[in-house]
């Protein structure tokens, strides 16, 4: 399934790029076209029951979940920076997004060209560790709205870390 694997690599690389790009709430969600292209490229594999086909479909499903988590985190970050006290948690979210971008790029390269990605698993553990500082920021926040936004960002960070670990596995 080399063609399908390369298409998945393209998708993960696109997700990596969208992770660190500025968000404009008026635009269509990023990577929509690449998601559609990849879904079409993998359509025939969904009926097959080989281990490789199942892995490809699973990587596609994780990519869609990852994209939703990234979009949500970007929007939560935008809400944080609107508040004076939201800059510190927004910086943590920036770290989450930067690290997620590196992991996605590594997965994309591995799928597209077979390059080894030794540090990817360690980065996924590091990403999980960034959820705790968000929890501390939410606990000390006096604004109920900002505390809820930060708590949502922590939840999304946990979800993203799990999704990336699944994709790495």
């Amino acid at each position: 399934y080399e063609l399908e694997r390369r298409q998945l690599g393209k998708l993960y690389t696109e997700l990596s790029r969208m992770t660190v790009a500025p968000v404009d709430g008026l635009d269509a969600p990023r990577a929509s076209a690449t998601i559609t292209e990849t879904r079409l490229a993998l359509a025939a594999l969904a009926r097959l029951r080989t281990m490789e086909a199942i892995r490809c479909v699973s990587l596609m499903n994780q990519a869609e979940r990852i994209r939703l988590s990234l979009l949500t985190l970007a929007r939560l970050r935008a809400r944080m920076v609107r508040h004076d006290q939201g800059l510190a948690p927004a910086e943590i979210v920036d770290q989450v997004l930067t690290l997620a971008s590196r992991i996605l790029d590594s997965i994309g390269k591995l799928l597209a060209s077979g390059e080894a990605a030794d540090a990817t698993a360690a980065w996924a553990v590091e990403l999980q560790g960034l959820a705790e500082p968000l929890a501390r920021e939410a606990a000390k926040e006096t604004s109920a709205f900002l505390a809820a936004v930060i708590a949502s960002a922590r939840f999304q960070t946990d979800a993203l870390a799990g999704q990336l670990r699944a994709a790495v596995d």
Side-chain angles (χ1 to χ4, degrees):
Y1 307 113
E2 185 175 339
L3 294 175
E4 291 85 354
R5 190 174 43 82
R6 277 190 279 176
Q7 182 63 37
L8 281 165
K10 178 182 170 185
L11 172 59
Y12 275 84
T13 301
E14 177 69 20
L15 290 174
S16 171
R17 275 188 244 131
M18 80 166 244
T19 301
V20 293
V23 175
D24 183 0
L26 301 176
D27 291 340
R30 295 207 168 110
S32 295
T34 310
I35 287 272
T36 302
E37 288 173 15
T38 307
R39 177 65 63 196
L40 291 172
L42 298 178
L45 293 184
R47 293 185 297 266
L48 300 178
R49 293 293 169 217
T50 67
M51 186 58 74
E52 293 82 12
I54 291 169
R55 284 184 181 145
C56 287
V57 171
S58 177
L59 281 166
M60 176 65 211
N61 292 334
Q62 287 303 328
E64 290 178 320
R65 290 181 186 108
I66 289 166
R67 184 179 87 137
L68 292 175
S69 292
L70 293 172
L71 291 169
T72 303
L73 273 170
R75 290 190 175 121
L76 290 169
R77 185 203 173 281
R79 290 180 180 168
M80 287 177 197
V81 296
R82 291 186 201 135
H83 290 274
D84 294 335
Q85 297 84 17
L87 297 179
E91 287 179 15
I92 297 169
V93 172
D94 285 340
Q95 292 173 13
V96 168
L97 294 173
T98 300
L99 191 52
S101 177
R102 284 193 281 171
I103 296 169
L104 289 164
D105 186 56
S106 181
I107 294 169
K109 286 178 181 173
L110 176 64
L111 288 167
S113 65
E115 290 180 25
D118 296 333
T120 307
W123 288 341
V125 171
E126 185 181 343
L127 181 65
Q128 182 71 43
L130 289 172
E132 192 55 39
L134 282 171
R136 286 193 300 271
E137 289 291 329
K140 70 180 184 181
E141 185 52 51
T142 56
S143 163
F145 173 76
L146 188 55
V149 170
I150 297 169
S152 293
R154 179 184 185 220
F155 175 78
Q156 289 300 322
T157 298
D158 282 336
L160 179 62
Q163 294 155 356
L164 288 170
R165 266 195 320 273
V168 167
D169 287 348

